[in-house]
Amino acid sequence: MTEATLARARAGDGDAFRELTEPYRGELHLHCYRILGSLTDADDLLQETLLAAWRGLDTFAGRASLRAWLYRIATNRCLNALRDGRRRVPAEPVPPFDPPEPTRRGEATWLQPYPDALLEQIPDADPGPEVRYHGREAVELAFIAALQQLPPRQTATLVLRDVLGYSAAEVADMLVTTETAVKGTLQRARATLDRRRGDVTLARPGSAEERDLTRRFADAFTADDINGVVALLTDDAWLAMPPAPHEYHGPDAIVSFLRASTAWRPGRPFRLVATRANTQAAFGWYLPDRTRPIAHPAGLIVLTPGPHQIHAITQFLGNDLPLRFGLPATLTW
């Protein structure tokens, strides 16, 4: 940032403002996603953040970096949206078949996956000295889901301190509170997050183990080979399907759901197209038409693969999701 560019932006030069803020656009979008858990909400709040920054540029005094100033705006815009009930909570979908009784009903039905293609566009920033969660770990699906169970200010505090590495003093300034309050909030957030995330070891992205599990899952899933799918799962695996709240724990419960799904669409095995979400293996998920050799998008499946078996299958429902990942609107064969 140069003083000349800042002066031009303050004088109303939109190109200068974009020059100032464009380097931070991707990471601000990811920041909003971490707090909100929703790709759609992150889109909205990023635009709110940039508009607020444009309108309030005269208030940027330069005591902190422009990046920190933008994070302050983004964080408080997200917190305001949550406080005002502006989160987009999708309506619970009506299943086309009678599903078995779920093990539990999930609460964060607004959860959405995040495209790795967007992550790759974010420049690597030097982590602050306070970072606790690095790179991949800070965007894994289980991490984002666990953040959604925290009170909003705990989520914001933990992300600012443990993911972005801002100091307690900087976070206190961003959230207009005291360092003592930040430390107490962070302690409670860490304890809850550690308890909810559990201790799961994931396969390294792109490793031979991940590729093998992913291939075997795709082969079994697209053949409606329920036994083949379940053979790949850990004994404590979960199947979830936001925005539907239904969650199934363990092979027996997952088998019952897969059987109900297969019985509803006899002779129409799903089609999959590989992609990546939240640094994890994923698939665009397509349902064949009843009368034509064409398949329509049904959602996105994200796998949580360990070194030898799969810990979780998250079937995100939504025919627009594959398109957000740059996948085809339809499949033909």
Side-chain angles (χ1 to χ4, degrees):
M1 182 181 72
T2 66
E3 289 300 323
T5 306
L6 180 60
R8 285 168 43 218
R10 282 175 168 160
D13 187 331
D15 289 337
F17 178 77
R18 282 187 288 275
E19 184 179 336
L20 291 175
T21 58
E22 190 62 28
Y24 309 110
R25 186 184 185 93
E27 60 180 288
L28 290 170
H29 186 259
L30 178 58
H31 180 61
C32 295
Y33 170 74
R34 284 189 175 114
I35 294 176
L36 301 167
S38 164
L39 189 61
T40 304
D41 286 343
D43 292 344
D44 293 344
L45 268 296
L46 173 63
Q47 296 308 312
E48 282 193 28
T49 295
L50 294 175
L51 181 59
W54 168 252
R55 290 174 173 172
L57 199 56
D58 284 342
T59 67
F60 173 60
R63 291 189 296 270
S65 67
L66 178 66
R67 179 175 183 259
W69 183 70
L70 291 170
Y71 268 105
R72 174 180 180 147
I73 295 173
T75 302
N76 284 285
R77 287 282 160 168
C78 288
L79 292 177
N80 289 344
L82 294 175
R83 182 198 62 204
D84 298 342
R86 288 189 284 124
R87 183 198 294 282
R88 294 191 192 182
V89 180
E92 180 176 337
V94 178
F97 56 90
D98 188 18
E101 185 66 24
T103 305
R104 71 181 182 194
R105 294 175 65 86
E107 298 176 5
T109 57
W110 57 84
L111 187 68
Q112 291 179 324
Y114 198 87
D116 275 21
L118 294 182
L119 296 175
E120 293 164 1
Q121 297 172 15
I122 300 174
D124 291 333
D126 292 332
E130 307 295 336
V131 163
R132 189 181 186 191
Y133 301 102
H134 293 267
R136 175 195 179 191
E137 187 181 18
V139 75
E140 287 171 354
L141 198 56
F143 182 80
I144 301 299
L147 288 178
Q148 305 312 300
Q149 306 303 319
L150 299 177
R153 286 184 72 86
Q154 287 189 23
T155 299
T157 301
L158 186 138
V159 170
L160 290 169
R161 289 280 282 127
D162 286 355
V163 174
L164 298 170
Y166 285 110
S167 69
E170 290 171 313
V171 175
D173 179 66
M174 290 180 181
L175 299 180
V176 194
T177 187
T178 65
E179 288 187 53
T180 300
V182 166
K183 292 174 181 176
T185 300
L186 182 62
Q187 185 178 25
R188 292 190 295 274
R190 284 173 174 172
T192 302
L193 190 71
D194 290 344
R195 185 172 64 252
R196 288 187 176 274
R197 290 185 69 209
D199 185 17
V200 173
T201 301
L202 300 189
R204 182 169 51 85
S207 65
E209 294 83 3
E210 186 197 58
R211 291 196 304 272
D212 179 61
L213 279 173
T214 301
R215 176 189 57 78
R216 290 163 62 197
F217 171 84
D219 289 346
F221 192 81
T222 55
D224 281 335
D225 179 3
I226 296 174
N227 291 334
V229 170
V230 172
L232 300 174
L233 304 180
T234 63
D235 290 340
D236 60 351
W238 281 93
L239 170 66
M241 52 199 74
H246 303 68
E247 296 183 1
Y248 297 90
H249 184 219
D252 290 343
I254 294 172
V255 163
S256 67
F257 175 80
L258 293 178
R259 283 178 177 162
S261 170
T262 303
W264 162 67
R265 47 175 180 80
R268 289 193 298 154
F270 290 122
R271 306 283 173 142
L272 299 178
V273 179
T275 185
R276 297 196 68 85
N278 298 78
T279 74
Q280 297 168 217
F283 297 95
W285 167 36
Y286 294 77
L287 176 63
D289 192 276
R290 293 182 184 276
T291 59
R292 296 179 297 160
I294 190 170
H296 304 281
L300 203 90
I301 295 175
V302 181
L303 301 181
T304 303
H308 306 292
Q309 290 179 293
I310 295 170
H311 294 287
I313 303 170
T314 308
Q315 298 184 184
F316 291 96
L317 309 177
N319 54 20
D320 61 325
L321 278 176
L323 278 65
R324 293 296 305 268
F325 282 70
L327 299 179
T330 57
L331 299 179
T332 56
W333 60 90

